[in-house]
């Protein structure tokens, strides 16, 4: 007891000390990867309130979860612990440099400190492809996959922080450097010898990759602040489907999917029953979600829990398997899988039930990757429910239509809360239609034209290059181009090509070679995929040749096809990445792309078809109208 009291007194004395230097390598922990981990971050009420009233109050981001990462808390704590003068020096996650959620933090730091030195060591290996290679080696080796940065914050005690902004000095270590090269560079430098770039942040809080002022004047795709999105092009849009249990509710095989879902539902219902008995035995009449959270079995081979599913255990809500909820989905770019689309088994459905209410209600639209500091812009037209990670990161779906429930009978169904049908609603706003007809002086423009114009324009290389920084920080905004009809026709061709990719002609130039006597091998064995890969010659990757399996080789793949990029990968590389047999490490569930189709040549023909889609896409994009805007 004496020891505890002594420690407490020492802590109180330390808290009263005037600290002028804080040095550290704060941990990075935004939270647990899965609710099954039962490893939530600790909460710090006073510190988190300071984050909310400073960084949170000044951010435009809709999601603020990562503002409570441990290293952001460390920055906030150190900023408050210094008084009029002092230095904070951290080596930490560098996500704050350009991340959308951290605009409030960047604005606050500029206002709170007299000088900021930020040395970006890169190394973000949560990227893929060429971007991953540019990021270079991980400074902490296997200990980090994130951007790492050195941050030095200086208060000199002279400036009146209410009336002035601090100076910002920035340095990017450069592309393609391995870990040893990076350490050698920084080991030979001091604060005074680094060739700093002095930056002037803009009003949005951008330090690097600053936005174009013209961008905000363009028309929004969608507007979450307006219930109807009346001033935007689309009335409604939605995040892609977030399930928190992809291994359980997605599969190439309909039979395997049904088995997986029924299995996890049986386990879930068993937990509901066990919890009910537990509550009865202890006289708990109104259990809380935290009671269920402390009780449930977290065996990942049986279930994947989420924060939306655990409260249903507390309410003793049972689940029932419904085969009609097995629907087609767009899981990744040009990769369809079966999906169990269910409110209980999907973590966040967003507005997707309004866009795909039943399998018989057909719809289409385009999916845009979420805005990320390190993600290249991508979009793709799809005609089935899009996964949140269609491009490997979050994103948004803009449908051509939505569907509203209505009672087609005498009102009895509506009175009982049962809709008998759905009315299709055009998702392009009336305001957008009037605006386009007026500006182009063309009363024949219809809402299909506006949809396809948008899709065509978003493929414009000129548009993407000019507003690259904006597209990393916000949803696209759509200007009015002079050649409206040119973009409409291009957008119509692109959408048809991308949605109907399974029906285009396989690329005739690709040569298929089969080793051995193909006549003695059953087709489903001959064309079975395990994991495709590129050939290599003297250690150099040869993208013109794809080793389909140990028997089948595809050669003469045109280099032109790799120009069609969807984020960090080409369309062909998405096929190679997704069409392989995978076993989920937590559940042990096997997802086998060979189970998707009864046609044994489906995957080999798909790869050839995507080569055709890629080449044709680049032809259309190359012939897009010039990006000339109306005055």
């Amino acid at each position: 007891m004496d020891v505890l009291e002594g420690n407490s007194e020492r802590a109180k004395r330390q808290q009263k000390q005037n600290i002028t230097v804080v040095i550290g390598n704060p941990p990075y922990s935004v939270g647990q990867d899965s609710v099954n981990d039962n490893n939530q971050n600790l909460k710090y009420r006073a510190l988190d309130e300071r984050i909310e009233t400073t960084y949170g109050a000044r951010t435009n981001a809709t999601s603020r979860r990562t503002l409570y990462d441990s290293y952001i808390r460390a920055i906030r704590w150190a900023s408050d612990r210094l008084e009029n003068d002092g230095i904070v020096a951290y080596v930490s996650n560098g996500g704050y440099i350009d991340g959308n959620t951290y605009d409030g933090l960047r604005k606050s730091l500029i206002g709170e400190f007299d000088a900021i030195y930020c040395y970006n060591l890169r190394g973000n290996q949560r990227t893929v492809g060429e971007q991953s290679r540019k990021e270079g080696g991980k400074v902490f080796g296997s200990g980090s996959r994130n951007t790492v940065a050195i941050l030095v914050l200086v208060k000199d005690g002279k400036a009146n922080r209410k009336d002035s902004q601090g100076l910002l000095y920035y340095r990017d270590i450069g592309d393609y450097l391995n870990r040893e090269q990076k350490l050698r560079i920084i080991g030979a430098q001091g604060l005074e010898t680094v060739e700093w770039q002095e930056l002037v942040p803009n009003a949005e809080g951008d330090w690097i990759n600053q936005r174009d002022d013209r961008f905000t004047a363009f028309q929004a795709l969608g507007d979450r602040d307006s219930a109807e999105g009346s001033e935007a092009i689309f009335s409604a849009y939605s995040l892609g489907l977030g399930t928190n249990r992809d291994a359980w509710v997605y599969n190439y095989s309909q039979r395997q999917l049904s088995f997986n879902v029924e299995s996890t539902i049986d386990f879930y219902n068993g937990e509901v029953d066990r919890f009910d008995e537990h509550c009865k035995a202890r006289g708990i009449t109104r259990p809380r979600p935290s009671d269920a959270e402390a009780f449930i079995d977290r065996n990942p081979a049986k279930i994947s829990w989420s924060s939306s599913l655990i409260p249903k255990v507390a309410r003793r809500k049972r689940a029932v398997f419904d085969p009609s909820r097995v629907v087609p989905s767009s899981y990744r770019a040009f990769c369809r899988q079966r999906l169990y689309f269910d409110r209980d088994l999907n973590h966040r459905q967003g507005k997707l039930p309004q866009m795909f209410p039943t399998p018989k209600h057909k719809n289409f639209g385009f999916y845009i990757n979420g805005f990320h500091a390190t993600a290249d812009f991508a979009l793709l037209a799809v005609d089935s429910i899009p996964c949140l990670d269609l491009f490997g990161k979050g994103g948004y779906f803009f449908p051509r239509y939505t569907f509203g429930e209505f009672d087609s009978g005498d009102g009895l169904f509506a009175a009982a809360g049962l809709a008998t049908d759905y009315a299709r609603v055009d998702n392009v706003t009336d305001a957008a239609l009037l605006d386009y007809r007026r500006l182009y002086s063309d009363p024949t423009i219809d809402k299909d034209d506006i949809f396809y114009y948008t899709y065509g324009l978003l493929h414009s290389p000129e548009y993407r290059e000019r507003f690259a920084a904006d597209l990393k920080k916000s949803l696209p905004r759509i200007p009015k181009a002079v050649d409206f009809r040119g973009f409409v026709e291009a957008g119509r061709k692109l959408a048809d090509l991308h949605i109907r990719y399974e029906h285009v002609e396989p690329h005739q130039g690709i040569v298929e070679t089969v080793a051995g006597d193909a006549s003695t091998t059953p087709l489903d064995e001959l064309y079975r995929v395990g994991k495709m890969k590129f050939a290599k010659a003297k250690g150099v990757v040869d993208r013109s040749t794809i080793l389909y399996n140990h028997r089948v080789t595809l050669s003469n793949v045109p280099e032109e096809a790799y120009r069609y990029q969807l984020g960090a990968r080409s369309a062909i590389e998405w096929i190679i990445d997704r069409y392989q047999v995978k076993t989920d490490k937590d559940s042990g569930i096997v997802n086998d792309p060979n189970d998707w189709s009864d046609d044994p040549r489906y995957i080999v023909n798909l790869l050839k078809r995507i080569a055709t889609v890629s080449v044709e896409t680049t032809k259309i994009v190359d012939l897009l109208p010039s990006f000339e805007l109306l005055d």
Side-chain angles (χ1 to χ4, degrees):
M1 190 67 175
D2 291 339
V3 173
L4 292 176
E5 289 178 356
N7 284 340
S8 177
E9 288 301 318
R10 182 174 63 180
K12 291 177 181 178
R13 289 196 302 272
Q14 289 175 340
Q15 290 172 356
K16 294 177 181 178
Q17 291 293 319
N18 180 28
I19 292 178
T20 57
V21 178
V22 179
I23 300 174
N25 172 217
Y28 330 147
S29 176
V30 71
Q32 59 191 0
D33 293 329
S34 166
V35 174
N36 279 37
D37 297 339
N38 195 25
N39 185 35
Q40 299 94 333
N41 274 354
L42 294 174
K43 297 186 183 302
Y44 300 87
R45 182 176 176 182
L47 183 57
D48 289 350
E49 285 179 355
R50 278 289 292 154
I51 290 174
E52 179 58 31
T53 57
T54 54
Y55 307 157
R58 303 187 71 179
T59 184
N60 292 316
T62 53
S63 174
R64 302 181 183 183
R65 175 172 170 260
T66 55
L67 280 180
Y68 302 94
D69 194 307
S70 298
Y71 84 99
I72 300 297
R73 284 172 167 158
I75 293 173
R76 181 67 272 166
W77 176 85
S79 300
D80 289 339
R81 195 66 178 82
L82 298 184
E83 295 183 2
N84 293 325
D85 61 333
I87 295 173
V88 178
Y90 282 156
V91 180
S92 73
N93 186 326
Y96 63 85
I97 294 173
D98 202 28
N100 299 310
T101 307
Y102 308 108
D103 54 344
L105 177 146
R106 294 190 293 268
K107 294 174 188 175
S108 296
L109 292 182
I110 287 294
E112 293 175 14
F113 289 90
D114 299 287
I116 298 171
Y117 298 85
C118 182
Y119 203 139
N120 186 352
L121 305 182
R122 308 283 289 279
N124 182 0
Q125 291 306 310
R126 297 185 185 279
T127 55
V128 295
E130 187 63 20
Q131 182 59 44
S132 177
R133 289 186 283 275
K134 282 185 176 182
E135 289 292 313
K138 296 176 282 190
V139 174
F140 291 113
S142 60
S144 173
R145 294 179 59 206
N146 302 290
T147 299
V148 172
I150 300 170
L151 179 67
V152 179
L153 307 171
V154 181
K155 287 184 180 181
D156 63 17
K158 300 176 183 177
N160 182 346
R161 301 268 26 100
K162 293 182 180 180
D163 300 323
S164 63
Q165 297 290 298
L167 300 176
L168 173 61
Y169 301 98
Y170 178 77
R171 176 73 177 176
D172 186 319
I173 200 163
D175 295 338
Y176 303 111
L177 299 174
N178 62 35
R179 178 177 184 267
E180 290 68 28
Q181 289 171 317
K182 292 178 181 181
L183 293 178
R184 191 159 52 247
I185 290 170
I186 60 177
Q189 294 176 327
L191 192 68
E192 71 285 353
T193 61
V194 174
E195 294 183 9
W196 297 105
Q197 176 186 6
E198 187 172 348
L199 302 179
V200 179
N202 62 13
E204 288 78 22
D206 299 333
W207 287 3
I208 61 174
N209 300 320
Q210 295 190 6
R211 289 164 247 210
D212 191 310
D213 292 338
R214 295 168 296 174
F215 190 76
T216 56
F218 301 151
Q219 189 173 21
L221 274 181
D223 185 0
R224 288 190 178 229
D225 294 330
S226 172
E228 299 298 326
S230 59
E231 298 303 316
I233 293 175
F234 294 98
S235 291
Y237 66 100
S238 177
L239 280 168
L241 180 67
T243 74
N244 268 41
R245 53 187 62 84
D246 282 11
W248 294 96
V249 299
Y250 283 104
N251 207 280
Y252 288 103
S253 165
Q254 182 161 336
R255 185 173 69 174
Q256 184 64 49
L257 174 63
S258 298
F259 175 82
N260 295 340
V261 173
E262 288 186 86
S263 174
T264 201
I265 283 177
D266 287 344
F267 183 79
Y268 165 80
N269 286 336
E271 290 300 280
V272 171
D273 293 341
R274 282 202 319 118
F275 183 67
D276 186 49
E277 292 299 320
H278 168 79
C279 291
K280 288 177 181 177
R282 286 161 178 75
I284 303 173
T285 57
R286 301 181 66 181
R288 297 167 297 180
S290 57
D291 297 322
E293 190 167 7
F295 176 83
I296 54 175
D297 183 345
R298 297 177 184 272
N299 184 349
K302 299 292 185 181
I303 198 168
S304 178
W305 292 105
S306 62
S307 59
S308 60
L309 188 59
I310 293 174
K312 293 170 184 174
V313 176
R315 300 200 303 269
R316 271 68 61 90
K317 180 181 180 182
R318 295 177 62 82
V320 177
F321 176 73
D322 181 352
S324 70
R325 294 174 187 167
V326 176
V327 299
S329 74
S330 296
Y331 186 62
R332 294 291 185 269
F334 301 114
C335 173
R336 299 188 196 272
Q337 292 192 33
R338 274 94 181 183
L339 160 71
Y340 190 68
F341 190 50
D342 176 81
R343 290 188 184 276
D344 290 334
L345 271 292
N346 303 152
H347 181 55
R348 295 283 185 266
Q349 290 190 327
K351 296 181 180 179
L352 291 172
Q354 301 172 30
M355 300 163 186
F356 297 95
T358 75
K360 72 176 183 178
H361 290 88
K362 305 303 180 184
N363 203 356
F364 68 98
F366 56 80
Y367 196 76
I368 294 175
N369 64 337
F371 28 97
H372 306 278
T374 57
D376 294 321
F377 178 74
L379 83 159
L380 182 65
V382 297
D383 62 354
S384 56
I385 296 169
C387 175
L388 180 66
D389 296 323
L390 186 87
F391 298 116
K393 296 197 175 208
Y396 299 89
F397 180 61
F398 290 84
R400 182 64 187 85
Y401 305 101
T402 59
F403 294 86
E405 296 181 357
F406 76 95
D407 178 12
S408 60
D410 57 6
L412 294 177
F413 290 102
L418 300 173
T420 60
D421 210 342
Y422 295 85
R424 194 176 78 170
V425 180
D426 203 305
N427 195 38
V428 176
T429 64
D430 293 337
L433 180 62
L434 292 173
D435 185 40
Y436 274 80
R437 286 179 173 177
R438 179 181 59 82
L439 283 174
Y440 288 102
S441 301
D442 185 352
T444 68
I445 291 175
D446 60 25
K447 292 185 177 183
D448 275 344
D449 292 333
I450 296 172
F451 177 88
Y452 292 119
Y453 168 80
T454 302
Y455 194 61
L457 185 133
L458 289 175
H459 278 85
S460 166
E462 292 178 78
Y463 171 85
R464 293 186 183 191
E465 290 168 12
R466 189 176 302 180
F467 302 109
D470 298 88
L471 295 173
K472 289 180 181 293
K473 296 178 171 68
S474 65
L475 286 171
R477 301 181 76 89
I478 308 301
K480 304 294 194 302
V482 170
D483 191 351
F484 174 79
R485 288 295 175 185
F487 281 108
V488 170
E489 293 312 307
R492 196 182 302 273
K493 290 176 183 177
L494 288 167
D496 183 68
L497 187 63
H498 298 159
I499 289 174
R500 298 185 67 257
Y501 68 90
E502 291 171 303
H503 303 285
V504 303
E505 282 296 315
H507 195 283
Q508 297 303 304
I510 295 176
V511 178
E512 182 179 321
T513 306
V514 179
D517 186 1
S519 64
T520 61
T521 307
L523 289 181
D524 58 351
E525 182 181 337
L526 181 64
Y527 290 104
R528 179 173 179 78
V529 159
K531 183 177 181 179
M532 291 181 272
K533 59 183 179 181
F534 290 119
K536 284 188 178 181
K538 297 181 180 180
V540 178
V541 172
D542 176 12
R543 297 199 302 179
S544 71
T545 301
I546 297 171
L547 306 179
Y548 181 83
N549 59 26
H550 69 283
R551 289 189 182 90
V552 179
T553 299
L554 302 176
S555 57
N556 203 36
V557 180
E559 184 61 30
E560 181 73 7
Y562 294 101
R563 284 182 56 202
Y564 179 37
Q565 293 280 316
L566 291 153
R569 289 191 179 100
S570 68
I572 289 178
E573 288 168 312
W574 276 112
I575 300 301
I576 294 173
D577 176 72
R578 298 316 310 177
Y579 283 85
Q580 60 176 287
V581 180
K582 291 191 175 183
T583 302
D584 180 62
K585 64 181 179 65
D586 291 327
S587 65
I589 291 173
V590 176
N591 198 4
D592 187 344
N594 299 285
D595 294 334
W596 171 255
S597 174
D598 292 332
D599 178 4
R601 288 187 55 88
Y602 174 83
I603 298 174
V604 71
N605 282 337
L606 174 65
L607 200 151
K608 293 180 181 180
R609 287 187 166 104
I610 294 305
T612 298
V613 168
S614 299
V615 171
E616 293 303 312
T617 295
T618 57
K619 287 180 180 177
I620 296 170
V621 169
D622 286 346
L623 293 174
L624 281 172
S626 174
F627 187 62
E628 183 181 355
L629 303 184
L630 289 176
D631 294 332

